[in-house]
Amino acid sequence: DVQMTQSPSSLSASVGDRVTITCRASQSINSWLAWFQQRPGKAPKLLIYQASTLESGVPSRFSGSGSGTEFTLTISSLQPDDFATYYCQQYNSYSWTFGQGTKVDIK
Amino acid sequence: QVQLVQSGAEVKKPGASVKVSCKASGYSFISYDINWVRQAPGQGLEWMGWMNPNSGNAGYAQKFQGRVTMTRSTSITTAYMELSSLRSEDTAVYYCARRNDWHSPDYWGQGTLVTVSS
């Protein structure tokens, strides 16, 4: 099974900060990677799929990059609505794996 | 609009089984796989498996093989996930999610809390 290592596990940031979260896959997954935002008590929300494609309706301050084994989610200017937990998810051979999550809170 | 509406919270005793439903609407039910993901309290997301509503074929994460069954009823556009031999570690919120064409879950149900306690 493909393992996903997400970092950092948590970070503190201020409104307006640029934030970067990384996911590493244990083997190449091409571009089969997605990013999600989850607020407490809510279902995850898809932000980015195919490593860099923005889901419809998601603000353009979110962007994704990478391929193979290294992937990045960037929030260009953190907004109050963005304080949440973020997960990456990979697809390989009919199975999914999620990263451990990154909690973004207010500095 | 696409909606996945799940059944309500359940409390089960160790050793029992639970069956969670996921009612789909707003799209062609047979055209998109349904996946199931769970989240234990305060923990991350854990994938359980997938089910193709058109064929009824399913695939399960190794961890759940032998304990989970994913089925569907096309007449009522509903997917089901049944987990047997429940133990306390199965206490979690269970989500159904539609898989998009890029193997990512684009729509999620609201989640169903399953509590396993004696």
Side-chain angles (χ1 to χ4, degrees):
Chain A
D1 285 3
V2 178
Q3 306 304 315
M4 301 301 294
T5 303
Q6 187 174 338
S7 61
S9 56
S10 65
L11 66 90
S12 296
S14 302
V15 172
D17 283 355
R18 182 182 182 88
V19 166
T20 299
I21 299 167
T22 298
C23 259
R24 287 190 177 87
S26 58
Q27 66 187 70
S28 176
I29 55 170
N30 297 307
S31 295
W32 297 115
L33 186 107
W35 292 97
F36 298 86
Q37 176 193 69
Q38 188 179 33
R39 297 194 177 94
K42 298 294 187 183
K45 173 187 173 184
L46 179 64
L47 300 175
I48 303 252
Y49 61 91
Q50 271 297 87
S52 60
T53 303
L54 199 65
E55 174 72 344
S56 175
V58 174
S60 58
R61 63 180 179 272
F62 292 93
S63 64
S65 64
S67 67
T69 61
E70 289 263 343
F71 302 87
T72 299
L73 172 71
T74 299
I75 309 172
S76 60
S77 177
L78 201 64
Q79 298 302 301
D81 224 19
D82 302 338
F83 292 98
T85 300
Y86 294 84
Y87 293 92
C88 62
Q89 171 255 336
Q90 71 81 29
Y91 164 80
N92 176 265
S93 298
Y94 290 96
S95 74
W96 292 357
T97 316
F98 291 90
Q100 304 93 319
T102 297
K103 185 175 182 181
V104 177
D105 61 23
I106 303 172
K107 185 185 284 186
Chain B
Q1 73 283 20
V2 174
Q3 277 195 302
L4 298 173
V5 178
Q6 298 183 222
S7 48
E10 303 261 13
V11 178
K12 296 290 182 182
K13 293 198 183 304
S17 297
V18 69
K19 191 170 186 176
V20 179
S21 68
C22 172
K23 166 76 174 172
S25 61
Y27 72 98
S28 171
F29 177 63
I30 60 172
S31 298
Y32 296 86
D33 287 1
I34 294 288
N35 282 249
W36 291 86
V37 175
R38 76 177 187 180
Q39 187 169 37
Q43 303 301 308
L45 301 166
E46 181 175 34
W47 177 73
M48 299 180 70
W50 61 269
M51 187 273 300
N52 181 297
N54 187 37
S55 64
N57 291 342
Y60 308 128
Q62 194 163 7
K63 176 176 179 176
F64 300 101
Q65 290 270 5
R67 273 210 308 148
V68 71
T69 306
M70 295 176 188
T71 58
R72 92 292 191 214
S73 170
T74 54
S75 62
I76 57 171
T77 65
T78 299
Y80 302 93
M81 185 284 299
E82 184 169 21
L83 187 63
S84 62
S85 303
L86 291 169
R87 34 214 189 224
S88 58
E89 311 89 87
D90 294 318
T91 294
V93 175
Y94 289 77
Y95 293 102
C96 62
R98 189 186 84 160
R99 177 184 71 78
N100 69 11
D101 292 338
W102 296 270
H103 301 288
S104 301
D106 58 354
Y107 288 91
W108 295 67
Q110 81 277 19
T112 296
L113 175 62
V114 175
T115 303
V116 183
S117 173
S118 54

